[in-house]
Amino acid sequence: MPFEQLKSYLNLSFQEAIQQPVYWYALILLLFLFLVLWSIRKLRNDLVPVFHDDEGGVQITTQALQELVKKSCQGIEGIDAPTTKIKMKRGAIRLYVRLSVNPQGDIKEIRSLLRNNIEKIMVENLNFANFGGVDIVIKGFQES
């Protein structure tokens, strides 16, 4: 009996199907599952490998890397509201920093200062063996 009802649902036209509650329930369930999986992916605490030697390995959380970028931006005049995405590509860590800048500031100078600050901390201080660089995206202009 349930298979006959399933066959009847499968043979419905689009107009008839959207009037059946079972299709709406399935759509709501699918959206709910998608939101749950998306939120799990966003909230997971990924560890990024810094380096590995004979004594063991060192890893850092993505939140710590984001905090590191924010603190690097605090010392530079003309930068506001930095956000960071961390991408792993072929074993290399690449940072994508989105920020607002002061339109009167020299953007080339701001970019070079930020890159130098982040690269100095990542490579010299933290000994990142797989650091791939920094990409900067200006997401807006903020008056100081």
Side-chain angles (χ1 to χ4, degrees):
M1 179 99 178
F3 292 113
E4 292 173 12
Q5 193 173 16
L6 179 63
K7 284 183 182 181
S8 69
Y9 283 133
L10 294 175
N11 292 329
L12 294 176
S13 69
F14 179 74
Q15 290 290 28
E16 295 170 333
I18 61 172
Q19 294 175 357
Q20 297 294 322
V22 71
Y23 283 98
W24 288 106
Y25 296 144
L27 181 63
I28 290 170
L29 180 63
L30 183 67
L31 288 174
F32 177 74
L33 288 175
F34 176 76
L35 287 173
V36 167
L37 292 175
W38 179 78
S39 63
I40 288 172
R41 183 173 183 265
K42 283 301 221 182
L43 295 176
R44 72 178 182 208
N45 193 7
D46 287 333
L47 294 176
V48 177
V50 175
F51 67 88
H52 189 78
D53 60 7
D54 296 337
E55 296 178 16
V58 175
Q59 297 176 334
I60 189 168
T61 64
T62 55
Q63 289 83 6
L65 277 177
Q66 291 169 348
E67 182 180 326
L68 180 76
V69 171
K70 280 187 181 182
K71 289 188 181 202
S72 297
C73 291
Q74 285 177 351
I76 300 173
E77 188 69 31
I79 294 180
D80 191 37
T83 57
T84 308
K85 283 191 177 182
I86 301 155
K87 301 283 183 174
M88 294 280 295
K89 195 176 222 182
R90 296 184 196 128
I93 298 168
R94 190 142 191 96
L95 300 177
Y96 293 89
V97 181
R98 295 174 47 97
L99 45 88
S100 296
V101 296
N102 185 344
Q104 282 77 31
D106 185 7
I107 294 177
K108 285 185 179 182
E109 183 181 335
I110 290 172
R111 177 190 65 184
S112 65
L113 283 172
L114 181 59
R115 279 190 179 166
N116 290 340
N117 282 356
I118 293 173
E119 287 178 2
K120 180 181 178 188
I121 291 170
M122 300 283 283
V123 177
E124 293 176 15
N125 297 353
L126 295 176
N127 297 316
F128 264 77
N130 54 352
F131 184 63
V134 179
D135 289 319
I136 298 172
V137 177
I138 297 174
K139 65 180 177 181
F141 294 96
Q142 185 80 16
E143 294 292 329
S144 301

